Amino acid sequence: MALPDIAVSAPGKVLLAGGYLVLDRQYSGLVFALDARIHVLATPGAGPEIIVRSPQFQDAQWRYGYRLAEGGGGVEVTQLKGSSTDTLSRNVFIETALGYCLTYISTILPGTTIAPASLTILADNSYYSQSSSIPTSDSPSSRFINFRTTLSEAHKTGLGSSAALVTAFTASLLAHYLPPSSFSTHTRASQNTLHNLAQAAHCAAQGKVGSGFDVAAATYGSCVYTRFSPTLLNGLGEQGSVGFAGRLESLVTNEWDVQVLKQGVAVPRGLRLVMCDVDCGSQTVGMVKKVLAWRKENPQEAKQLWDDLQTRNEALRAALSQLAAHEEAADELTKTEHWNALAGSLASIRELIRKMSTLSDVPIEPYSQTALLDACSALPGVAGGVVPGAGGYDAVALLVLDNKDVLQGLKEFVDDWKVPVDGARGEGAGGKVKLLSVREEMEGIRSEDANAAAYAEWISL
């Protein structure tokens, strides 16, 4: 029987509250999924290999051979050349996720030959900063832009593309090869399977065990997230090692100690979340390590700061819930005590984030972002905002009225904004700010119509 054509998508994310805290199981993070999605289409393949394409980018095609390893090592994948003149450009996220998925599938369908497949990856446009020189006429569909660059040279906007990719890629393979009785994106049991498998693959590809909030958002959608114990992955071992397949199956099917709470998590009607891409060319590598090093050296001061931040993060969640429970007309929201509570919660979180910045000497909310957030927060209809996640110079998130005039005023303001230089660090000057065409979304992994016209145009390229 022919395997089905499958299309799935997974959302990006923004960690609105809980940056750095979310690394510790004693604390939690408020993460919102975004309507910018990574889409993956899986169809039966024509040749003996599995071919993966990302046609929005130049030279983005990967071919893989695969075989069952000895000693229960699972399925080993090997990147192949399309021709003798090709140079191999490795994509560690795709390669790792493919090996992990095929290994897991081989344990669920023992003795079954895994057929060749073709996978196409398409990213919604907000995942990458777009040059004004990109002509839309070069793109088959306005839903997906031809970025006219290689994947390695594309500038990410920080929406969690690698986690969304691994999650959508994993889901597409599971839905393509497994019967609906074994996997469906609609059931919580299958979502748990997807989460565990995608988390394991994503950690392996990154070479570290992160908090996992990005994969959780890609799987479950917007939620309050408390991380899993990193020790869960300790005994997995290297892909292809003796017994790897059995260990991976146990890891995926066993219940994890992660907590994903969706009840009461929402942006109230009449409000929306807005993301600003701040294109300053800054680097945030090492920020987390430096903050954690300061925390280790100053445990008492850090604990008090972490506890205070957790309290203020919970107050933000409560303020959002209170606004959601009182359905005032949109034009009356800014006159309510609940609006003031929301604005106050965002400002109080920023106060402690700046304290963390100062104490750790890490630019979590650097001067240029402080100036932008202060200016935006003073605009009509803007409750306030934060530097999300680990912070830095790349993005800010705002909560604003979902009103055409408010959004247009905000757009015009940021279009004219000149990023000031951070005198202490020499960062920021000359950067541009752009509103991204994204907003919050509650849903995580989602099945799509594999025959949609927006997909078909790209598959035919």
Side-chain angles (χ1 to χ4, degrees):
M1 185 176 68
L3 294 174
D5 293 350
I6 294 293
V8 298
S9 68
K13 52 70 188 171
V14 57
L15 184 60
L16 191 66
Y20 296 96
L21 275 68
V22 78
L23 294 163
D24 190 322
R25 276 186 50 78
Q26 296 181 53
Y27 305 97
S28 61
L30 175 61
V31 55
F32 281 100
L34 298 172
D35 62 358
R37 288 178 165 264
I38 299 288
H39 303 247
V40 180
L41 292 83
T43 59
E49 66 247 331
I50 290 176
I51 300 175
V52 183
R53 300 169 59 246
S54 186
Q56 291 167 282
F57 298 96
Q58 298 169 2
D59 304 321
Q61 179 172 284
W62 304 270
R63 296 172 177 267
Y64 298 98
Y66 53 100
R67 69 177 185 87
L68 203 59
E70 297 179 353
V75 176
E76 292 181 332
V77 299
T78 304
Q79 188 173 354
L80 307 172
K81 287 186 176 183
S83 68
S84 59
T85 59
D86 285 351
T87 57
L88 294 181
S89 177
R90 190 183 181 206
N91 187 311
V92 67
F93 290 102
I94 290 174
E95 184 176 319
T96 305
L98 180 61
Y100 272 57
C101 287
L102 296 184
T103 293
Y104 177 72
I105 291 165
S106 73
T107 67
I108 301 301
L109 303 175
T112 300
T113 299
I114 296 176
S118 176
L119 294 104
T120 302
I121 301 165
L122 294 168
D124 280 342
N125 302 328
S126 293
Y127 276 100
Y128 299 91
S129 295
Q130 298 160 32
S131 167
S132 59
S133 64
I134 296 177
T136 55
S137 60
D138 281 7
S139 301
S141 167
S142 59
R143 175 67 188 267
F144 305 109
I145 281 179
N146 185 334
F147 290 106
R148 297 169 59 87
T149 186
T150 62
L151 189 57
S152 62
E153 294 174 343
H155 179 199
K156 295 181 180 181
T157 54
L159 303 185
S161 58
S162 68
L165 167 63
V166 168
T167 304
F169 190 81
T170 299
S172 70
L173 287 168
L174 294 178
H176 179 66
Y177 286 113
L178 297 179
S181 58
S182 296
F183 182 82
S184 168
T185 58
H186 306 294
T187 70
R188 185 60 181 246
S190 290
Q191 290 171 3
N192 292 343
T193 295
L194 171 62
H195 169 268
N196 297 355
L197 183 55
Q199 287 281 21
H202 194 243
C203 288
Q206 287 186 312
K208 64 177 183 179
V209 181
S211 69
F213 79 87
D214 45 5
V215 171
T219 304
Y220 301 109
S222 300
C223 62
V224 175
Y225 175 78
T226 303
R227 71 159 304 149
F228 58 89
S229 297
T231 53
L232 282 172
L233 300 176
N234 282 356
L236 184 57
E238 292 293 322
Q239 188 175 343
S241 61
V242 174
F244 175 78
R247 293 191 299 272
L248 180 64
E249 181 188 16
S250 296
L251 178 69
V252 172
T253 56
N254 288 342
E255 185 175 352
W256 287 26
D257 56 3
V258 65
Q259 294 182 29
V260 176
L261 303 178
K262 293 187 65 66
Q263 185 174 3
V265 177
V267 172
R269 190 178 68 174
L271 269 69
R272 64 169 289 173
L273 188 145
V274 171
M275 295 291 295
C276 298
D277 177 29
V278 184
D279 187 7
C280 291
S282 63
Q283 298 293 324
T284 58
V285 175
M287 288 175 61
V288 172
K289 287 184 178 179
K290 195 170 181 181
V291 170
L292 295 183
W294 172 82
R295 185 188 183 200
K296 185 176 181 180
E297 293 169 2
N298 304 272
Q300 292 183 332
E301 188 175 17
K303 185 180 187 307
Q304 186 63 57
L305 179 57
W306 261 238
D307 289 348
D308 290 345
L309 258 173
Q310 178 71 14
T311 298
R312 296 190 186 188
N313 293 343
E314 291 171 356
L316 172 61
R317 297 203 298 268
L320 288 169
S321 295
Q322 289 165 1
L323 263 175
H326 294 77
E327 297 189 356
E328 289 92 355
D331 57 355
E332 296 293 320
L333 277 177
T334 58
K335 303 174 185 177
T336 67
E337 61 179 304
H338 304 298
W339 175 270
N340 293 333
L342 174 60
S345 293
L346 291 166
S348 69
I349 289 171
R350 286 184 55 206
E351 178 186 16
L352 291 186
I353 291 296
R354 290 194 297 272
K355 183 177 181 180
M356 187 190 294
S357 290
T358 300
L359 292 173
S360 63
D361 192 31
V362 174
I364 304 169
E365 186 185 300
Y367 169 75
S368 58
Q369 302 291 61
T370 297
L372 175 60
L373 285 168
D374 286 348
C376 289
S377 299
L379 295 174
V382 179
V386 296
V387 283
Y393 295 89
D394 295 330
V396 299
L398 303 168
L399 288 171
V400 307
L401 288 181
D402 192 6
N403 174 289
K404 182 174 66 174
D405 293 336
V406 169
L407 294 171
Q408 182 61 32
L410 179 60
K411 180 183 184 304
E412 292 174 359
F413 179 82
V414 299
D415 284 348
D416 292 335
W417 180 257
K418 306 299 182 185
V419 177
V421 67
D422 183 343
R425 298 177 183 274
E427 299 268 10
K432 297 180 180 179
V433 182
K434 177 184 177 183
L435 282 188
L436 296 175
S437 299
V438 297
R439 65 176 300 162
E440 78 288 344
E441 184 170 80
M442 296 301 109
E443 191 177 11
I445 195 69
R446 184 168 71 205
S447 295
E448 304 283 0
D449 178 7
N451 296 314
Y455 297 153
E457 293 173 273
W458 285 95
I459 291 176
S460 64
L461 290 179

